[in-house]
Amino acid sequence: MATRTDAPTRREQILKEAARLFAERGFHGVGVDEIGAAVGISGPGLYRHFAGKDAMLAELLVGISGQLLTGAKRRVAEVDGGPADAVLDSLIEGHIDFALDDRPLITLHDRELDRLRDSDRKLVRQLQRQYVELWVEVLRKVYPGIAEPAARSAVHSVFGLLNSTPHLGRPGSLPGRGATAELLHRMARGAFAAAAAE
């Protein structure tokens, strides 16, 4: 979910290809030699960057959870003092960027989270809870009448909606990134409004 324009490091290249391959064929369906070949180095050369596939998986899943939380905090701070609607829109935009640009990580999270060591899995869950609670707080400012449990359910439901992008077909089959992002944004706001209208 980065907006960086500088070239990715070798480590980042490895992680990107590992995420793509793991999402396509499953964690156990990919060997280190294949990941190495995808970035132009030998499989054993990967061990200069990672202890093994398990370490790559942990960095991918813990990393994206941390990035989402950090990005959300930054977006809230950027609109600090502004209307709550603008904060919510910014949070939605940030998550849509993730959902459209990091689709393999969504698939990876759904399929492979249980393969993480307990400590890494707990860290992922902790980061995710903080991310959800940040959204809940903002949502309740936009819709003060919505109860906290309903707000939390609505946030999880919208995440499910936005994170459905891996199931929308091949990237080239979508109506275009801009149009897809706008559609997802309207649907997210519509879902939140419906939850608040109860």
Side-chain angles (χ1 to χ4, degrees):
M1 188 179 84
T3 56
R4 296 172 33 163
T5 55
D6 51 328
T9 65
R10 175 62 65 156
R11 188 178 181 86
E12 290 167 337
Q13 290 172 343
I14 293 168
L15 286 172
K16 181 177 180 180
E17 289 304 313
R20 180 183 65 79
L21 291 167
F22 292 160
E24 286 176 2
R25 299 207 301 273
F27 180 74
H28 288 303
V30 179
V32 288
D33 289 338
E34 293 171 271
I35 298 169
V39 295
I41 61 176
S42 68
L46 288 178
Y47 293 108
R48 288 195 296 269
H49 302 277
F50 296 95
K53 287 196 318 179
D54 290 335
M56 289 179 215
L57 182 64
E59 187 156 333
L60 284 164
L61 295 181
V62 173
I64 194 56
S65 298
Q67 288 174 38
L68 283 168
L69 178 59
T70 300
K73 287 179 177 178
R74 187 190 72 247
R75 286 173 177 274
V76 169
E78 287 172 354
V79 193
D80 187 31
D85 270 310
V87 180
L88 182 59
D89 282 333
S90 184
L91 288 176
I92 293 169
E93 288 164 12
H95 199 95
I96 288 172
D97 285 344
F98 158 67
L100 292 176
D101 298 338
D102 292 315
R103 292 165 72 183
L105 288 175
I106 295 172
T107 301
L108 201 58
H109 180 277
D110 289 345
R111 291 184 189 161
E112 311 291 356
L113 182 64
D114 288 343
R115 298 196 189 284
L116 293 181
R117 293 180 307 172
D118 284 347
S119 58
D120 289 327
R121 191 167 53 252
K122 286 177 183 174
L123 179 55
V124 167
R125 293 298 192 201
Q126 178 186 16
L127 293 167
Q128 289 174 337
R129 277 193 298 274
Q130 292 176 44
Y131 184 60
V132 167
E133 293 310 310
L134 188 149
W135 278 68
V136 167
E137 183 179 340
V138 171
L139 184 61
R140 294 188 74 209
K141 288 179 182 173
V142 176
Y143 300 105
I146 190 169
E148 190 173 314
R152 194 169 292 110
S153 293
V155 167
H156 281 289
S157 296
V158 165
F159 288 169
L161 167 72
L162 299 179
N163 290 348
S164 69
T165 56
H167 310 291
L168 296 179
R170 296 180 317 280
S173 68
L174 298 177
R177 192 190 188 288
T180 302
E182 288 175 17
L183 174 62
L184 289 172
H185 197 118
R186 286 196 309 274
M187 292 174 71
R189 285 305 300 255
F192 285 140
E198 183 181 355

